[in-house]
Amino acid sequence: MRVLPISVTAVAAALLLTACGSGGDGDPSGSASGSGSGSGGGKSGDTAACRISDVGLEVGPVSAAPAAGDTGTVTVTLTGRGTDCTLDGFPRVTLAAAGNDAEVPADKAAQGQQLTLAKDTTASFTITYVRGGTGASLPVDKLTVSLPGSPDAQSFPWTYGPVSSGSKGVPDASVSAFQQAGD
């Protein structure tokens, strides 16, 4: 009886692994490994990693957490401005509070994927956070976004209240993987 479920699992795993190996760069993990060089960062196949200068960034829509302990979401949309480029995995998001930057961890339940962003097409990601209160919280005033494989970053004002923080000042927040938008 156990042979059939194990066989099905083995076949499914083999199919998933063969699908992952088609990236052309030898890294089936979906993680960005670009060096962030001045020539556009890492490459994925024939398409360079997206840089901040290659895309338009827009913050919103926002569903701000109304009170301490409530959860809010902030969506960031990227629009291709010209030459095709690649978004791989997760963006790097930091929240600045009183001059100290705290990196937002990737959503543990999300799986990064590789997307090609062409001119006038869009992709997005979402920051989910818990609003802070009188306890441990970060008085965030700035959101900074950078893209995998690129050293550039762009900042935006954070007007959605303090963010709860866990141990060692890590924000009680997460960032999703890039998602293709508009399909």
Side-chain angles (χ1 to χ4, degrees):
M1 289 277 236
R2 291 182 149 274
V3 175
L4 182 59
I6 292 172
S7 299
V8 171
T9 302
V11 170
L15 290 173
L16 285 172
L17 290 175
T18 55
C20 290
S22 63
D25 64 358
D27 181 14
S29 68
S31 64
S33 59
S35 64
S37 69
S39 63
K43 287 235 178 203
S44 172
D46 293 335
T47 307
C50 292
R51 296 176 60 114
I52 293 290
S53 59
D54 297 333
V55 301
L57 286 174
E58 181 181 346
V59 175
V62 174
S63 177
D70 289 342
T71 300
T73 58
V74 178
T75 300
V76 179
T77 302
L78 300 86
T79 304
R81 289 187 176 163
T83 306
D84 291 3
C85 62
T86 300
L87 297 169
D88 195 1
F90 295 82
R92 181 170 186 258
V93 174
T94 56
L95 300 175
N100 294 317
D101 289 345
E103 188 164 350
V104 176
D107 181 346
K108 293 176 184 172
Q111 185 171 358
Q113 61 180 332
Q114 189 176 83
L115 304 174
T116 299
L117 193 61
K119 184 175 182 176
D120 298 326
T121 62
T122 58
S124 65
F125 63 88
T126 302
I127 302 160
T128 303
Y129 71 98
V130 175
R131 186 169 180 140
T134 57
S137 65
L138 303 169
V140 177
D141 59 5
K142 183 173 68 171
L143 160 70
T144 302
V145 175
S146 60
L147 305 177
S150 174
D152 306 324
Q154 186 169 346
S155 296
F156 301 91
W158 180 273
T159 58
Y160 320 116
V163 174
S164 179
S165 66
S167 62
K168 301 179 185 174
V170 175
D172 190 357
S174 63
V175 61
S176 73
F178 295 108
Q179 301 288 322
Q180 198 74 51
D183 287 338

